[in-house]
Amino acid sequence: MKSKTISLVRVCFFTEKAENLFEKIKASNREILWQKLEDKSVLSEWTKESFEKSIPLLFICAAGIATRTIAPFVKDKFTDSPVLVMDEEGRFIIPILSGHLGNANEIAFEISRSINAQPVITTGTDVNGKFGIDNFARINGLKIVNREGIKKISARILAGKKIKVFIEDTIKISALNMPSEIVLVKNAGEEAHVAVTLRELATDEKNKYLINLVPKKYCLGIGCKKGKNFNELKDFAETIFSSHFHAELRNEVVSISSINLKEEETGLLEFSHWLHVPFITYTAEELIKAQGDFSESDFVNEITGVPNVCERAAVLAAGKDGHLVLSKTAKNGMTISVAEKKPLIEKWN
């Protein structure tokens, strides 16, 4: 497939050598939209805004500078920006914040591969080559209900103990190569440490497990005029979810998708990072092959080469057995549709 997952990364550096390194990184990582800090006098405000939107930050400088810069804004591992530090020689890259839930570790690996740098990973499960429950939740679009359970599960794994996992029958498992740390149990009544359930368990049931994971199920397909900003897109989507689904975006959305013409649409990228979900783009050729009964627009077809973007993108992102649950809704140059994705465990690591 030609579909791509696009990320936005903001970059800060202070020397000419660091700038030259950044240009090398930029040239080698074209599926990332890079934004460099032009005015160093607004570094604090720039960092604050980045954390408010959970946008990844790369500092090409001393780790102490990065640490002092981000310190006032670090609040919650579930929403903090992923932060990475790199020396200006390009020898080492270190994720120092939000390695799993913010995907900082994977960003480090991507950059290191492209310029032959050494990623320095410090998260306990990764260092020991073990299964990470928070990483598992992120890559499979699972909501972590009782977040305090992450530390308890990781502690058991690092102590060499097995983790018993109950997964409801309604949730399919296509992932192969189950980690050695995991033991699946078939019945809800069996003793287990993790419960992956279609809906959040009631308190008395939830307390039987260290952690309860629930699949996020909605894929947002979005079309918009050029220049629509983060707040416009977020407010529109929140209104839709409040009125149609009576749900909060961050708890239910598993992906954002659009046409590849929107790969560098900053508002969409910022919105995806705020949600901590992938931003997937499709070519017009891919979108036209989407199966379903979609609304059509001659104007959209003239501009994009496909008569509908948002509905088709949502259905493609939802994958096999996914279906449209909200047709195109339009407001002020933006269109949003929603498809429901069938719950699926696709990857363990």
Side-chain angles (χ1 to χ4, degrees), residues 44 50 90 166 191 238 282 310 320:
S44 181
S50 299
F166 166 68
E191 180 185 353
E238 284 184 327
Y282 299 96
C310 64
K320 184 180 179 182

Side-chain angles (χ1 to χ4, degrees), residues 10-83:
R10 290 183 171 180
V11 185
C12 175
F13 50 80
F14 302 94
T15 67
E16 183 177 350
K17 182 180 285 188
E19 183 170 14
N20 291 337
L21 175 61
F22 164 62
E23 292 299 332
K24 182 180 178 182
I25 293 170
K26 181 179 178 181
S28 302
N29 293 271
R30 297 191 177 276
E31 292 191 1
I32 293 177
L33 179 63
W34 301 93
Q35 291 182 340
K36 65 179 180 180
L37 175 62
E38 300 286 358
D39 182 0
K40 305 303 186 291
S41 68
V42 298
L43 175 58
S44 181
E45 293 87 347
W46 178 81
T47 305
K48 180 176 183 289
E49 186 208 0
S50 299
F51 267 72
E52 288 171 349
K53 298 175 181 177
S54 303
I55 298 172
L57 296 174
L58 171 62
F59 289 86
I60 307 177
C61 62
I65 295 174
T67 303
R68 286 192 294 272
T69 300
I70 68 172
F73 312 113
V74 177
K75 295 179 180 178
D76 185 342
K77 67 182 293 181
F78 277 65
T79 58
D80 286 338
S81 284
V83 179

Side-chain angles (χ1 to χ4, degrees), residues 100-116:
H100 283 171
L101 293 173
N103 208 26
N105 287 0
E106 185 55 37
I107 296 172
F109 283 120
E110 288 182 23
I111 294 174
S112 66
R113 284 191 291 263
S114 69
I115 62 167
N116 197 30

Side-chain angles (χ1 to χ4, degrees), residues 100-141:
H100 283 171
L101 293 173
N103 208 26
N105 287 0
E106 185 55 37
I107 296 172
F109 283 120
E110 288 182 23
I111 294 174
S112 66
R113 284 191 291 263
S114 69
I115 62 167
N116 197 30
Q118 175 64 52
V120 181
I121 308 299
T122 59
T123 42
T125 51
D126 294 274
V127 169
N128 290 278
K130 300 292 186 180
F131 173 77
I133 192 70
D134 46 357
N135 224 14
F136 170 74
R138 178 184 59 80
I139 62 179
N140 286 290

Side-chain angles (χ1 to χ4, degrees), residues 186-304:
K186 294 184 178 181
N187 301 310
E190 292 185 58
E191 180 185 353
H193 306 101
V194 178
V196 186
T197 55
L198 201 57
R199 294 174 180 81
E200 182 175 341
L201 295 172
T203 301
D204 57 337
E205 285 293 313
K206 185 166 54 182
N207 289 339
K208 296 178 182 179
Y209 305 95
L210 293 181
I211 197 165
N212 179 206
L213 303 176
V214 178
K216 300 177 183 180
K217 58 184 178 181
Y218 295 123
C219 300
L220 294 188
I222 302 181
C224 65
K225 289 183 178 179
K226 186 176 181 180
K228 286 296 176 181
N229 64 44
F230 164 79
N231 287 321
E232 290 177 292
L233 292 162
K234 174 176 169 288
D235 291 347
F236 182 29
E238 284 184 327
T239 299
I240 286 174
F241 264 70
S242 176
S243 59
H244 290 275
F245 301 103
H246 308 291
E248 293 185 13
L249 283 171
R250 276 181 160 169
N251 289 336
E252 299 294 345
V253 173
V254 70
S255 70
I256 292 176
S257 56
S258 191
I259 193 167
N260 63 349
L261 296 174
K262 296 298 175 183
E263 285 179 1
E264 297 189 1
E265 197 68 53
T266 302
L268 286 172
L269 284 158
E270 291 179 347
F271 186 31
S272 72
H273 283 295
W274 180 78
L275 286 169
H276 280 265
V277 301
F279 175 46
I280 307 165
T281 63
Y282 299 96
T283 64
E285 291 79 9
E286 286 178 302
L287 291 171
I288 204 70
K289 293 177 182 177
Q291 300 295 308
D293 184 16
F294 306 116
S295 59
E296 296 189 357
S297 164
D298 292 337
F299 174 75
V300 172
N301 190 46
E302 182 179 346
I303 299 298
T304 67

Side-chain angles (χ1 to χ4, degrees), residues 218 244-245 323-327 338-340:
Y218 295 123
H244 290 275
F245 301 103
H323 63 284
L324 209 61
V325 292
L326 180 69
S327 300
V338 182
E340 184 173 335

